Amino acid sequence: MLRTVLLGPPGAGKGTQAVRIVEKYNVPHISTGDIFRENIKNGTELGKKAQEYMNKGELVPDDLVIEIATTRLLADDCKNGFLLDGFPRTVYQAEKLDAFLEEHGMKLDKVIDIEVEKEELITRLTGRRVCKACGASFHVVNIPPKTEGICDNCGGELFQRADDTVETVENRIAVYIEQTMPLVDYYKNAGNIVEIDGALPLDTVFGQIVEAIGE
Ligand code: AMP
């Protein structure tokens, strides 16, 4: 049983660590960003609503995100735990999540906060390339794929996210500092947060996450 939230700015490596965590602990990876991108791809009403905020690097309105996330948490595959990635992102979302979990007799085991300084985030995000098929992340300089534009894992096509441009990235980081950072104190008060330096190598970060969660 593992109920965890991954917290941290865009580009801290949450997605990359999430892939490893779900493999090790066998829980579903719930990324509200992925849910929105899937809806945009499929041209749904939800996708249309979310897209205007996402392209500007702004947050999708709380009530919409809370509805999406809590509906997903009620699915059968979350009975033995889950990994939330990119949700909650505001204190209001965190309060609603706590209320929802309490109502269903659950609580969070751990909140893992991965922090990285701003300049490094900008470099990481603007160079990021993501696989269309499996979602794996690469970087044009730091983690180049073996063949340019092609995913090492599955052979899928790599693309640049619409919100990974310089202007949007700056805004996403500003939004993180203003709206999401207060969650660190929120979870410190709850006493279940672990802070990890996301500038360390990927394997070291993962090792510290496993240490925090337990084998
Ligand atoms: P991510 O893939 O987590 O970086 O999310 C991409 C974008 O989706 C964000 O910049 C927001 O516009 C939107 N989004 C994802 N999760 C949330 C959330 N919990 N609250 C508000 N907006 C979100």
Side-chain angles (χ1 to χ4, degrees), residues 32-33 37 54 58-60 65 86-87 89 93 161 172:
T32 40
R37 279 184 288 278
M54 289 172 74
E58 277 159 24
L59 293 186
V60 174
V65 187
F87 177 87
R89 254 179 160 98
Q93 290 179 18
R161 274 173 48 170
R172 287 163 67 203

Side-chain angles (χ1 to χ4, degrees), residues 98-117:
D98 278 349
F100 169 87
L101 292 175
E102 196 179 332
E103 195 184 314
H104 292 84
M106 301 185 258
K107 71 180 199 37
L108 292 175
D109 300 309
K110 273 282 178 286
V111 174
I112 295 162
D113 177 31
I114 309 179
E115 292 292 337
V116 173
E117 57 127 339

Side-chain angles (χ1 to χ4, degrees), residues 185-204:
D185 281 335
Y186 178 89
Y187 286 120
K188 268 188 188 159
N189 285 334
N192 57 354
I193 194 168
V194 183
E195 290 170 282
I196 294 179
D197 178 3
L200 295 170
L202 293 179
D203 289 342
T204 311

Side-chain angles (χ1 to χ4, degrees), residues 7-202:
L7 195 64
K14 299 192 297 297
T16 305
Q17 297 298 338
V19 172
R20 298 178 175 207
I21 296 169
V22 299
E23 196 184 311
K24 181 167 173 68
Y25 295 96
N26 200 20
V27 289
H29 174 202
I30 303 176
S31 153
T32 40
D34 283 351
I35 296 175
F36 290 135
R37 279 184 288 278
E38 189 64 24
N39 275 274
I40 291 172
K41 197 165 84 189
N42 296 331
T44 67
E45 273 311 305
L46 171 66
K48 282 182 200 139
K49 273 189 211 158
Q51 189 165 28
E52 45 178 307
Y53 299 96
M54 289 172 74
N55 284 351
K56 287 185 276 183
E58 277 159 24
L59 293 186
V60 174
D62 279 339
D63 290 322
L64 192 60
V65 187
I66 291 161
E67 171 72 26
I68 303 296
T70 52
T71 303
R72 178 65 186 84
L73 287 171
L74 288 174
D76 266 355
D77 65 345
C78 295
K79 289 227 155 48
N80 289 320
F82 50 77
L83 175 70
L84 284 168
D85 164 11
F87 177 87
R89 254 179 160 98
T90 63
V91 171
Y92 182 77
Q93 290 179 18
E95 286 168 352
K96 290 288 175 183
L97 173 64
D98 278 349
F100 169 87
L101 292 175
E102 196 179 332
E103 195 184 314
H104 292 84
M106 301 185 258
K107 71 180 199 37
L108 292 175
D109 300 309
K110 273 282 178 286
V111 174
I112 295 162
D113 177 31
I114 309 179
E115 292 292 337
V116 173
E117 57 127 339
K118 184 177 168 182
E119 287 314 309
E120 171 68 11
L121 293 174
I122 294 173
T123 308
R124 287 187 183 186
L125 287 166
T126 52
R128 174 161 74 175
R129 299 293 180 271
V130 185
C131 175
K132 264 187 187 163
C134 75
S137 275
F138 297 85
H139 187 279
V140 288
V141 180
N142 302 344
I143 322 167
K146 289 196 186 86
T147 312
E148 197 187 322
I150 305 290
C151 176
D152 287 355
N153 301 342
C154 76
E157 190 188 333
L158 301 183
F159 76 108
Q160 180 172 34
R161 274 173 48 170
D163 58 353
D164 279 346
T165 58
V166 181
E167 311 78 59
T168 311
V169 160
E170 296 256 2
N171 197 34
R172 287 163 67 203
I173 295 170
V175 165
Y176 174 79
I177 292 169
E178 196 177 305
Q179 301 194 55
T180 309
M181 283 267 272
L183 280 182
V184 175
D185 281 335
Y186 178 89
Y187 286 120
K188 268 188 188 159
N189 285 334
N192 57 354
I193 194 168
V194 183
E195 290 170 282
I196 294 179
D197 178 3
L200 295 170
L202 293 179

